Amino acid sequence: MSLFGAIEAGGTKFVCAVGTVDGKIEERISIPTRTPEETIPKVIAFFQQHVIEAIGIGSFGPIDVDKKSNTYGNITTTPKTAWKDYPLLQTIKDAFSIPVGFNTDVNVAALGEAILGAAKGVDNCLYITVGTGIGAGAYINGELLQGLTHPEMGHILVRRHPNDAYKGRCPYHADCLEGLAAGPAIEERWGKKAIELSDKEEVWDMEGFYIAQSLMQYILVLSPKKIILGGGVMNQTHVLTYIYKYLQELLNGYLSFEEISTNIKNYIVKPGLGDNAGITGALLLAEKEWEESKASAVQ
Amino acid sequence: MSLFGAIEAGGTKFVCAVGTVDGKIEERISIPTRTPEETIPKVIAFFQQHVIEAIGIGSFGPIDVDKKSNTYGNITTTPKTAWKDYPLLQTIKDAFSIPVGFNTDVNVAALGEAILGAAKGVDNCLYITVGTGIGAGAYINGELLQGLTHPEMGHILVRRHPNDAYKGRCPYHADCLEGLAAGPAIEERWGKKAIELSDKEEVWDMEGFYIAQSLMQYILVLSPKKIILGGGVMNQTHVLTYIYKYLQELLNGYLSFEEISTNIKNYIVKPGLGDNAGITGALLLAEKEWEESKASAVQ
């Protein structure tokens, strides 16, 4: 079975792995995200030890995913200044003469979950991560969603909880979803890390209130067949109960599908691949890029 | 050139037409939407006068668009009780032994605009209608968006305008987008029909405030390459100025694309096909269904 490389480029660490398209990982390392000059040579050194056919990258963003753009494959307007405008794809391509696929971390995780995880066999799913930030990727009719750019679903507007006086911390929109419901917002609002607030019902009620609103919007716009909720904050599994409750209240019977009513626990689920959704999706992206490059070589 | 039939099934009228895939309409009629028993025989009689290869239907909804469902092609939970659970697709199929395509009125309008209208040459666009109701269709990578069901974007949540005391009129969600910004909501809030309020700046400022919020959500979720705003309310063209202003304020530079900044007037536009977006899209849907049926006959 052919070996592929996978990079999950995150804001705190780069996870690099070598594995096969059935999701089996042969070897992996985790490299702290410092400057490109410090981090990238270690990434390259790891893959140089292996014979691989292609590499897939799932990157933190925003990134340029437009194949026709001059800056395709760059990280763009990130607040992590060392990485602003960094040509991540081109750098990896220059180091290895093999196909390299490139997409967002969350789109790649959606791909992983769609092919080998909780949405296996479903041609349309949504993967959402709630952690340091909030982001989502969508797999639609077998393709990762992309238009003018990749989705930026974490920044949608939500209505304020009546008991929430916290101002929000998104530098662009203050109290958008990410500004109110990502991990750092929970910590700033309540004065403790999410993990230390496990037993505070009001914390998870409010978190569920915001996440449910975002799911309502995503469902009405995209109509996913499965929704996967990952990320560190979602390790507080009891928040799901509030999400289900508020989502059903908000939709109020408008969509008469069992996925929303009696079967909601099988509709909105945790990742089937656990923390491996992203790295598995990156392996699958590598294989996809490899197949496409073979097909275009034949033409 | 082959002739196709097109049905734009609306809540007030059924527009039926015969034409070609270049959008040229040879003949059309408009039939008032009463009960199925009264309306449908007239629809059938119209097409019986023509030699056509296939029919495309763009219907008001909600409708069942799941080809694997037992009730595929039915109008489902509409408040128009005479049409509830009506098998629109099957009835037309039974009357003619030709392929019949079926989708929502707004998805079909998106198809028309994508192939022959304002989004010609663009593989990804969003069509929104603001009229008696609010709905949207999306064309993504050459396919009409559909998952668990068709999009129901008109019912997304928006934040209330600080000066808006109107309760909203959506029977499910009260003050969702449609409940606050569709034509009947404008009329109920201000006591006059939209068309009689043309010169009232506060009306269009508030309308722009709500529509801009919905566009922000759609852009962050779907990232369309072109947005087309149709429907009766949008004939008040000056509302676009408020939409542009509020959308830029809301996004606040987060998406650094000229489509959002300097070129917004070419990004969010009126329909290129005017009131013919739906009927033209239905012709295209007919041709698509015809091609697919030929392809599956060969296999």
Side-chain angles (χ1 to χ4, degrees), chain B residues 30-229:
Chain B
S30 175
I31 300 162
T33 305
R34 302 225 166 88
T35 63
E37 294 68 32
E38 195 176 341
T39 303
I40 295 298
K42 293 176 187 163
V43 171
I44 292 172
F46 171 74
F47 289 113
Q48 279 170 338
Q49 301 162 36
H50 299 90
V51 178
I52 50 177
E53 303 290 349
I55 295 174
I57 304 174
S59 177
F60 69 100
I63 59 177
D64 185 342
V65 287
D66 178 2
K67 288 195 173 184
K68 291 178 195 147
S69 157
N70 288 331
T71 52
Y72 170 57
N74 288 13
I75 295 173
T76 60
T77 55
T78 174
K80 300 175 87 68
T81 48
W83 294 87
K84 195 170 176 301
D85 300 324
Y86 181 73
L88 178 56
L89 172 63
Q90 196 57 51
T91 307
I92 300 298
K93 271 189 161 173
D94 288 347
F96 303 93
S97 298
I98 53 176
V100 184
F102 185 73
N103 216 306
T104 62
D105 44 6
V106 278
N107 256 349
V108 161
L111 179 64
E113 287 293 324
I115 306 295
L116 294 169
K120 196 171 166 175
V122 177
D123 61 0
N124 176 314
C125 76
L126 182 65
Y127 175 91
I128 304 159
T129 180
V130 185
T132 314
I134 299 182
Y139 181 80
I140 294 180
N141 296 333
E143 296 289 335
L144 294 174
L145 179 59
Q146 180 178 319
L148 188 61
T149 181
H150 50 79
E152 283 284 358
M153 302 193 207
H155 291 266
I156 64 165
L157 298 177
V158 286
R159 290 179 178 171
R160 306 287 309 225
H161 191 287
N163 299 336
D164 190 9
Y166 175 61
K167 66 185 188 306
R169 52 176 289 136
C170 172
Y172 291 92
H173 318 116
D175 60 356
C176 66
L177 176 69
E178 178 171 294
L180 290 173
I186 297 174
E187 186 176 344
E188 193 170 78
R189 178 191 292 110
W190 302 97
K192 284 182 186 174
K193 284 191 186 303
I195 201 165
E196 297 163 40
L197 295 160
S198 287
D199 58 345
K200 299 282 181 205
E201 204 179 319
E202 66 272 32
V203 172
W204 305 107
D205 186 309
M206 188 179 283
E207 184 71 8
F209 174 85
Y210 288 129
I211 303 288
Q213 278 189 60
S214 71
L215 296 189
M216 177 174 178
Q217 313 288 58
Y218 303 152
I219 290 168
L220 292 169
V221 176
L222 280 174
S223 201
K225 290 182 182 170
K226 197 89 162 183
I227 296 177
I228 297 134
L229 282 173

Side-chain angles (χ1 to χ4, degrees), chain A residues 205-221:
Chain A
D205 186 308
M206 188 178 284
E207 184 71 7
F209 174 85
Y210 288 128
I211 303 288
Q213 279 190 59
S214 71
L215 296 189
M216 176 173 178
Q217 314 288 58
Y218 304 153
I219 290 169
L220 291 169
V221 176

Side-chain angles (χ1 to χ4, degrees), chain A residues 79-220:
Chain A
K80 300 176 87 69
T81 48
W83 293 87
K84 194 170 177 300
D85 300 324
Y86 181 73
L88 178 56
L89 172 63
Q90 196 57 50
T91 308
I92 300 298
K93 272 190 160 172
D94 288 347
F96 303 93
S97 298
I98 54 176
V100 185
F102 186 72
N103 216 308
T104 62
D105 45 6
V106 278
N107 255 348
V108 161
L111 179 64
E113 288 292 324
I115 305 295
L116 295 170
K120 196 172 167 174
V122 176
D123 60 1
N124 176 315
C125 77
L126 182 65
Y127 175 90
I128 304 159
T129 180
V130 185
T132 314
I134 299 183
Y139 181 80
I140 295 179
N141 297 332
E143 296 289 334
L144 294 174
L145 180 58
Q146 179 177 321
L148 188 61
T149 182
H150 51 79
E152 283 284 358
M153 301 192 207
H155 291 267
I156 66 165
L157 298 177
V158 286
R159 289 180 178 171
R160 306 287 307 226
H161 191 288
N163 299 337
D164 189 11
Y166 175 61
K167 66 183 188 308
R169 55 175 288 133
C170 171
Y172 291 92
H173 317 116
D175 59 357
C176 67
L177 176 70
E178 179 171 294
L180 290 173
I186 297 174
E187 185 175 345
E188 193 170 79
R189 180 192 292 109
W190 303 98
K192 283 183 188 174
K193 285 192 185 300
I195 202 165
E196 297 163 39
L197 294 160
S198 287
D199 59 343
K200 299 281 179 205
E201 203 179 320
E202 66 273 31
V203 172
W204 305 107
D205 186 308
M206 188 178 284
E207 184 71 7
F209 174 85
Y210 288 128
I211 303 288
Q213 279 190 59
S214 71
L215 296 189
M216 176 173 178
Q217 314 288 58
Y218 304 153
I219 290 169
L220 291 169

Side-chain angles (χ1 to χ4, degrees), chain A:
Chain A
M1 215 174 202
S2 301
L3 274 183
F4 296 96
I7 302 174
E8 194 182 8
T12 53
K13 61 181 192 282
F14 272 57
V15 178
C16 302
V18 166
T20 47
V21 289
D22 55 2
K24 198 170 157 232
I25 290 164
E26 303 259 318
E27 194 179 335
R28 87 160 75 198
I29 56 162
S30 176
I31 300 161
T33 305
R34 302 227 166 87
T35 63
E37 294 67 34
E38 195 176 342
T39 303
I40 295 298
K42 293 177 187 162
V43 171
I44 291 172
F46 171 74
F47 290 113
Q48 279 170 338
Q49 300 163 36
H50 298 90
V51 178
I52 49 177
E53 303 290 349
I55 295 174
I57 305 174
S59 176
F60 69 101
I63 59 177
D64 185 343
V65 287
D66 178 2
K67 288 196 174 184
K68 291 177 195 149
S69 158
N70 288 331
T71 52
Y72 170 57
N74 287 14
I75 295 172
T76 60
T77 55
T78 174
K80 300 176 87 69
T81 48
W83 293 87
K84 194 170 177 300
D85 300 324
Y86 181 73
L88 178 56
L89 172 63
Q90 196 57 50
T91 308
I92 300 298
K93 272 190 160 172
D94 288 347
F96 303 93
S97 298
I98 54 176
V100 185
F102 186 72
N103 216 308
T104 62
D105 45 6
V106 278
N107 255 348
V108 161
L111 179 64
E113 288 292 324
I115 305 295
L116 295 170
K120 196 172 167 174
V122 176
D123 60 1
N124 176 315
C125 77
L126 182 65
Y127 175 90
I128 304 159
T129 180
V130 185
T132 314
I134 299 183
Y139 181 80
I140 295 179
N141 297 332
E143 296 289 334
L144 294 174
L145 180 58
Q146 179 177 321
L148 188 61
T149 182
H150 51 79
E152 283 284 358
M153 301 192 207
H155 291 267
I156 66 165
L157 298 177
V158 286
R159 289 180 178 171
R160 306 287 307 226
H161 191 288
N163 299 337
D164 189 11
Y166 175 61
K167 66 183 188 308
R169 55 175 288 133
C170 171
Y172 291 92
H173 317 116
D175 59 357
C176 67
L177 176 70
E178 179 171 294
L180 290 173
I186 297 174
E187 185 175 345
E188 193 170 79
R189 180 192 292 109
W190 303 98
K192 283 183 188 174
K193 285 192 185 300
I195 202 165
E196 297 163 39
L197 294 160
S198 287
D199 59 343
K200 299 281 179 205
E201 203 179 320
E202 66 273 31
V203 172
W204 305 107
D205 186 308
M206 188 178 284
E207 184 71 7
F209 174 85
Y210 288 128
I211 303 288
Q213 279 190 59
S214 71
L215 296 189
M216 176 173 178
Q217 314 288 58
Y218 304 153
I219 290 169
L220 291 169
V221 176
L222 281 175
S223 201
K225 291 182 182 171
K226 197 90 162 182
I227 296 176
I228 297 134
L229 282 173
V233 172
M234 285 299 130
N235 289 332
Q236 303 293 323
T237 307
H238 50 297
V239 73
L240 281 171
T241 312
Y242 295 103
I243 292 173
Y244 297 149
K245 184 189 81 155
Y246 281 119
L247 179 59
Q248 287 174 334
E249 279 179 23
L250 285 166
L251 283 169
N252 194 25
Y254 182 67
L255 297 175
S256 54
F257 292 90
E258 62 179 25
E259 284 83 352
I260 312 290
S261 56
T262 53
N263 209 18
I264 195 165
K265 288 181 186 176
N266 289 317
Y267 179 54
I268 300 167
V269 298
K270 298 192 73 174
L273 301 170
D275 295 336
N276 283 335
I279 203 74
T280 307
L283 279 177
L284 293 165
L285 186 68
E287 194 261 354
K288 204 161 176 269
E289 194 72 21
W290 184 56
E291 293 291 350
E292 279 171 19
S293 102
K294 282 196 293 185
S296 65
V298 169
Q299 281 167 2

